[in-house]
Amino acid sequence: MPRFSVIVPCYRVQAYLSECLDSVLAQSYRDLEVIAVDDRSPDDCGAILDEYAARDPRVKVLHLPENVGLGRARNAGLPHATGDYLLFLDSDDTLTPGALGAIADRLAESGDPDVLVFDYARTYWWGGTRRNALAEVLAEAGPDAFTAAGYPRILDLLMVVWNKVYRREFTEAEGFAFPPGYYEDTPWTFPVMLSARRIAALDRICLNYRQRRQGNILSTTSRKHFDVHDQYERVFAFLDERPALDSWRPYLHRKMGEHCLDILAKPDRLPPADKAEFFRRTADLFRRLKPADARVDGEVAVLEGGWAAYRLRRQAGRAARGAARRAGSVRRAAAARTRAGWASLHARRPLDPELVVYSASAHRGLLGDPAAVYRAARRIAPQLRGVWVVRDAETAAGLPPDVEHVIAGTRRCAEVMARASFLVNDVNWTGVPAKRPGSVHIHTHQGTPLKYLGADLLDKPGARLGVDVPQLLRQADRWDHSLVASRHSELVYERAYPCHFASARTGSPRNDVLVTGGTGDFRRRHGIPDDHTVVLYAPTRRDYRRGGHVDRLDVARFAAGLGEGHTLVVRLHPALASGPARGLGLTELARRGVVVDATDEPDLPDVLLAADALVTDYSSVMFDYANLDRPIVIHADDWEVHRRTRGVYFDLLAEPPGHVALSQGELALLFASGRWRDEESARLRSVFRSRYCEFEDGRAAERVVRTLLLGEPMPGAGIRLPGQAATGRDALTRA
């Protein structure tokens, strides 16, 4: 008897069916069966299913004699299911890699609950991906099983059938089945969730919910949406049979009203001529099923009025939103004029020779190179006053109490920036007053570049999506000094940003602690044993995928392959920190102790110091980590795609900082064999470090303070005027 029975009803999905089936059959967890139901599909779905059944004995195919619809097609598959758990997968959706393994682990951990709810992501036809907006409901559910009454927030999630697995014995004992109709999920999910004695949650994206440009049945304009009324009648009929569930009537009454009003409000659901009738039917049902103790307020209160009143309210809402948008535009323009006025007022006052304004990572706090310069300035030149620009009060609250700061966009921020003699930032200043003559802008960047930047993105339309290159260069015109860690960086920045700055051969201030052999407390804070070998996995974002996330590595399998005495630490690119990459398993794996999630760690050097080896793909973290002279392994299974779409300044596979793995299998072999830290690895790392960490000597922050802020001489500093001549361009490999 298999662990999972995956029931897949099929109708007019031949374009997506193979991808759906492959996502199931390629799961690393193999203990499953697929019950594929051909709902008399007029296209080639039936033939595709038969081909899969001939190749894989886990696939069973049912050919229905007539089209019965989604719900009844699922019902047809139920008697053929023999698995412990049922999973209903729509045939245009896909399971994410490792999903069934994660579900199986969570079921075992929670003692085989009646229902397990997992997360999903919407995947759009144009390439975008968006995680379920209520993912925190799963994260906050905790590790133990619960009931809907014990954790009612679980019902705030989308009440659909496909984001859950169900214990088959439970559904059979309760006699659950799908009715016909458009909204057949409603009278399945509510009764199931309210009846389940034990529910568990899995905070992991296990399913990609395809958002088709056309062909989605619920986005089709039709009178069939009136079906929602019949489905809620069935939900309340179920309550009639279960008096013990009567306390749920007020909740479901409000849910019904909200659901119907949502359908009515969407422009693509109901024919315009039928909307008044839909409203009246909804209002009649709402009044008829109203419990005595129901509160009718907020949005659903309109159902106690008439159609005319509803239309007036909708029109007033649209008018108010339009007015708010116009008022917002006016306020923003006025605020910009006001800020310019504030800055102009203070621009009449002389620059403060001892005032330095800092910012990092779009005002996200005391981070990176600017933070290293700030700390060095406080030690070397305490007469200098350092002020940080932060994005909001919440960020300000996270600063040490003795750090002076201003909030971006405020009058005080404009005043301080207008008076500052020095401005230190690792990204371009935006929305700030014009740079005053005599002020000095020091640009630190965010690491050594492998991937194309600035003007070099002009012939890479995918990589520059959302990037206004001319505006980027106008902002770079503010730079006076560009900090570099090597001549490679110097040439790249002078080509990518053809502006009038001087290159400062200082090294990267944030890497001083790596060069001098500093210590951190990352291991202690995360409970990592002293004798463990820590492997850090730090993937970067991909420009060839909207949203930037591509699942290149089965992290759980890699962690398991490292074996006893090893700890795998994962740090995602900041652009991926709140998206699907976290939900595709990292959060859940970290909760279970399979890996340590270091994505939110503010101090990158602290994470690097804790690691005995680095595995990365094309992240600039490899240049920082090379300063530690510890093993680096490059996982480059999509190098050619990445190189062509983003553009790179040198061939990483030809001059890597360590061994290169072109697949997860090769990566596993490198660690199993011990080659990841052999003599060849050390040789490659030495060559790489000598070229790309050329100016890193542990005194970069001091060098910036003494030479650029105080104007003192210091051995080892190299300040030269930029050269935008063709020789600089020719010195780089144009990939």
Side-chain angles (χ1 to χ4, degrees), residues 415-595:
E415 293 172 356
V416 168
M417 292 195 68
R419 296 290 315 284
S421 288
F422 302 97
L423 299 96
V424 182
N425 201 347
D426 61 3
V427 295
N428 275 325
W429 295 97
T430 57
V432 296
K435 185 181 176 213
R436 290 185 64 184
S439 63
V440 176
H441 183 164
I442 300 168
H443 193 80
T444 70
H445 303 282
Q446 290 185 317
T448 296
L450 167 65
K451 298 168 282 191
Y452 274 10
L453 301 167
D456 290 328
L457 292 174
L458 287 171
D459 61 351
K460 297 293 179 183
R464 74 166 192 270
L465 185 67
V467 177
D468 184 341
V469 174
Q471 176 64 15
L472 190 71
L473 298 182
R474 284 193 292 272
Q475 292 166 348
D477 284 334
R478 298 175 65 108
W479 304 355
D480 292 291
H481 300 287
S482 163
L483 306 191
V484 298
S486 64
R487 277 172 286 193
H488 160 80
S489 297
E490 187 174 280
L491 291 172
V492 165
Y493 293 141
E494 291 179 5
R495 180 177 97 175
Y497 301 101
C499 305
H500 298 289
F501 56 84
S503 290
R505 296 179 174 181
T506 58
S508 299
R510 71 179 185 279
N511 288 339
D512 287 347
V513 67
L514 304 180
V515 178
T516 57
T519 59
D521 65 348
F522 179 85
R523 285 188 180 229
R524 178 187 57 77
R525 287 188 291 107
H526 291 276
I528 301 173
D530 291 341
D531 60 347
H532 268 217
T533 297
V534 174
V535 178
L536 171 63
Y537 174 51
T540 191
R541 71 187 304 279
R542 300 301 198 275
D543 295 285
Y544 60 79
R545 177 67 61 88
R546 188 70 61 89
H549 173 66
V550 178
D551 217 17
R552 307 306 311 181
L553 190 68
D554 185 333
V555 174
R557 185 152 61 96
F558 180 47
L562 291 174
E564 292 293 328
H566 292 75
T567 295
L568 180 63
V569 176
V570 181
R571 183 180 175 88
L572 299 177
H573 187 281
L576 306 176
S578 60
R582 218 80 174 267
L584 278 166
L586 183 56
T587 302
E588 178 66 11
L589 291 175
R591 188 189 68 78
R592 287 166 44 207
V594 176
V595 303

